Amino acid sequence: MELFPGNRLVLATRNEGKVREMQRLLEGRGVEVTTAAALGLPEVEETGTSFEENATLKAESAVKASGFAVLADDSGLSADALGGAPGVYSADWGGPERDFGKAMARLGREVKAAGDDRGAKFVSVLVLLWPDGRRVEARGEVRGTLVFPPRGEGGFGYDPCFIPEGEDRTFGEMAAEEKARFSHRSRAMEALMRELLG
Ligand SMILES: O=c1nc[nH]c2c1ncn2[C@H]1C[C@H](O)[C@@H](COP(=O)(O)OP(=O)(O)OP(=O)(O)O)O1
Ligand SMILES: [Mg+2]
């Protein structure tokens, strides 16, 4: 039996970094993956106050516009020193131009000003939604340490300022397959597949 109608899955994200990671995580599952950008789907206002809410908003909008099954990710970096900020506002800290050099500089300043606790976690919430309303949700987290100034050119977003627990290099210094071994998104995807396939 087909998991998705037409065996097709739409990634409801505009973030190329996420698209690359999600495509890699779905490889070999016999699913034809396409993206919101490729289908020209409308952008979504992320008005929720939780990762779950925003992932749901993105998934619902893309299902409505495309008629296909959809996978949405809402994610972010939560600094212990800042009570979990930037959290769901992680993308907003990059400004309209999505300048994460600027966002990481701000994060460094604010963390130091707040007492310099370097503990942090990345969170990813995935929502899989079918046109018939069936829905599966999963969360993945990875704890780690913030490092300033940022290091490495790999990955995207805040990757250069985050060292996952037990490692000594940032996500920005890792190859894609290495980041995928620890990442919040990989963990969420594993949890999603467990939910889905039992
Ligand atoms: O693995 C990651 N490595 C580095 N940074 C990350 C990661 N995962 C999330 N982040 C940061 C940057 C991103 O911009 C924001 C998520 O915001 P979020 O609204 O979920 O995604 P987005 O606006 O970039 O794309 P979209 O909403 O179209 O899926 O958190
Ligand atoms: Mg977004």
Side-chain angles (χ1 to χ4, degrees):
M1 210 194 69
E2 270 181 0
L3 211 43
F4 310 116
N7 209 30
R8 200 184 252 251
L9 183 64
V10 178
L11 303 182
T13 175
R14 293 273 167 178
N15 179 319
E16 285 301 319
K18 285 189 191 179
V19 168
R20 280 193 298 275
E21 292 186 10
M22 290 161 92
Q23 269 171 338
R24 159 186 290 277
L25 293 167
L26 288 164
E27 246 166 50
R29 295 184 189 276
V31 183
E32 192 188 320
V33 176
T34 182
T35 66
L39 296 177
L41 304 186
E43 287 195 40
V44 181
E45 247 199 287
E46 298 176 37
T47 53
T49 54
S50 67
F51 297 115
E52 286 78 5
E53 254 182 280
N54 283 334
T56 301
L57 287 172
K58 289 184 268 194
E60 284 175 345
S61 166
V63 164
K64 204 187 271 177
S66 74
F68 293 114
V70 157
L71 179 60
D73 164 292
D74 198 64
S75 46
L77 179 62
S78 291
D80 295 349
L82 305 181
V88 292
Y89 305 107
S90 294
D92 300 341
W93 279 34
E97 68 284 7
R98 290 293 165 97
D99 181 347
F100 287 99
K102 197 174 84 180
M104 289 187 286
R106 174 178 171 189
L107 183 63
R109 281 195 308 276
E110 294 200 10
V111 163
K112 285 170 196 169
D116 215 16
D117 177 346
R118 297 296 181 99
K121 67 178 177 183
F122 266 123
V123 179
S124 162
V125 171
L126 295 173
V127 169
L128 191 51
L129 190 64
W130 283 259
D132 67 4
R134 196 152 80 91
R135 182 183 191 282
V136 179
E137 177 182 308
R139 172 184 275 249
E141 300 190 355
V142 55
R143 282 207 56 88
T145 305
L146 297 171
V147 55
F148 304 107
R151 303 191 323 227
E153 303 291 322
F156 69 94
Y158 297 85
D159 280 340
C161 72
F162 183 87
I163 301 176
E165 221 164 37
E167 299 300 305
D168 54 15
R169 284 168 308 138
T170 69
F171 274 161
E173 294 174 301
M174 294 182 184
E177 63 268 24
E178 228 180 335
K179 177 184 172 186
R181 259 189 257 144
F182 314 103
S183 86
H184 48 311
R185 191 160 294 104
S186 304
R187 289 175 179 172
M189 193 69 85
E190 278 164 27
L192 192 76
M193 291 302 162
R194 274 197 304 275
E195 282 286 316
L196 196 58
L197 307 172

mmCIF file of all heavy atoms in Angstrom, residues 18 44 46 58 73-74 91 98, ligand 2:
data_model
loop_
_atom_site.group_PDB
_atom_site.id
_atom_site.type_symbol
_atom_site.label_atom_id
_atom_site.label_comp_id
_atom_site.label_asym_id
_atom_site.label_seq_id
_atom_site.Cartn_x
_atom_site.Cartn_y
_atom_site.Cartn_z
ATOM 1 N N LYS A 18 17.268 22.991 5.097
ATOM 2 C CA LYS A 18 16.341 21.953 5.569
ATOM 3 C C LYS A 18 16.002 20.989 4.443
ATOM 4 O O LYS A 18 15.921 19.783 4.655
ATOM 5 C CB LYS A 18 15.027 22.591 6.055
ATOM 6 C CG LYS A 18 15.084 23.287 7.378
ATOM 7 C CD LYS A 18 13.644 23.638 7.742
ATOM 8 C CE LYS A 18 13.555 24.569 8.911
ATOM 9 N NZ LYS A 18 12.144 24.902 9.214
ATOM 10 N N VAL A 44 3.922 31.181 4.306
ATOM 11 C CA VAL A 44 3.028 31.047 5.452
ATOM 12 C C VAL A 44 3.489 31.983 6.561
ATOM 13 O O VAL A 44 4.675 32.069 6.857
ATOM 14 C CB VAL A 44 3.072 29.598 5.982
ATOM 15 C CG1 VAL A 44 2.128 29.425 7.157
ATOM 16 C CG2 VAL A 44 2.738 28.611 4.879
ATOM 17 N N GLU A 46 4.095 32.619 10.212
ATOM 18 C CA GLU A 46 4.302 31.733 11.362
ATOM 19 C C GLU A 46 3.915 32.460 12.641
ATOM 20 O O GLU A 46 4.749 32.983 13.361
ATOM 21 C CB GLU A 46 5.745 31.234 11.368
ATOM 22 C CG GLU A 46 6.037 30.415 10.126
ATOM 23 C CD GLU A 46 7.475 29.958 10.012
ATOM 24 O OE1 GLU A 46 8.087 29.622 11.046
ATOM 25 O OE2 GLU A 46 7.987 29.950 8.877
ATOM 26 N N LYS A 58 2.304 25.490 8.759
ATOM 27 C CA LYS A 58 2.988 25.294 7.476
ATOM 28 C C LYS A 58 2.451 24.056 6.761
ATOM 29 O O LYS A 58 2.227 24.065 5.549
ATOM 30 C CB LYS A 58 4.511 25.191 7.697
ATOM 31 C CG LYS A 58 5.134 26.527 8.081
ATOM 32 C CD LYS A 58 6.654 26.460 8.196
ATOM 33 C CE LYS A 58 7.122 26.162 9.584
ATOM 34 N NZ LYS A 58 8.583 26.422 9.773
ATOM 35 N N ASP A 73 8.617 21.190 8.899
ATOM 36 C CA ASP A 73 9.550 21.243 10.025
ATOM 37 C C ASP A 73 9.498 22.633 10.607
ATOM 38 O O ASP A 73 9.598 23.614 9.878
ATOM 39 C CB ASP A 73 10.978 20.947 9.528
ATOM 40 C CG ASP A 73 12.089 21.340 10.515
ATOM 41 O OD1 ASP A 73 12.283 22.544 10.746
ATOM 42 O OD2 ASP A 73 12.767 20.452 11.039
ATOM 43 N N ASP A 74 9.307 22.745 11.930
ATOM 44 C CA ASP A 74 9.574 24.016 12.593
ATOM 45 C C ASP A 74 10.635 23.744 13.631
ATOM 46 O O ASP A 74 10.571 22.761 14.370
ATOM 47 C CB ASP A 74 8.323 24.629 13.221
ATOM 48 C CG ASP A 74 8.543 26.118 13.492
ATOM 49 O OD1 ASP A 74 8.731 26.869 12.509
ATOM 50 O OD2 ASP A 74 8.576 26.517 14.665
ATOM 51 N N ALA A 91 14.480 32.125 13.260
ATOM 52 C CA ALA A 91 14.578 32.645 11.892
ATOM 53 C C ALA A 91 14.487 34.173 11.903
ATOM 54 O O ALA A 91 15.247 34.856 11.215
ATOM 55 C CB ALA A 91 13.486 32.052 11.007
ATOM 56 N N ARG A 98 17.796 37.303 6.350
ATOM 57 C CA ARG A 98 18.276 36.011 6.844
ATOM 58 C C ARG A 98 19.798 35.999 7.034
ATOM 59 O O ARG A 98 20.494 35.125 6.529
ATOM 60 C CB ARG A 98 17.854 34.869 5.907
ATOM 61 C CG ARG A 98 16.367 34.590 5.940
ATOM 62 C CD ARG A 98 15.984 34.044 7.294
ATOM 63 N NE ARG A 98 14.549 34.073 7.509
ATOM 64 C CZ ARG A 98 13.733 33.041 7.318
ATOM 65 N NH1 ARG A 98 14.213 31.907 6.912
ATOM 66 N NH2 ARG A 98 12.468 33.144 7.583
HETATM 67 MG MG MG B 2 10.053 29.874 8.918
#
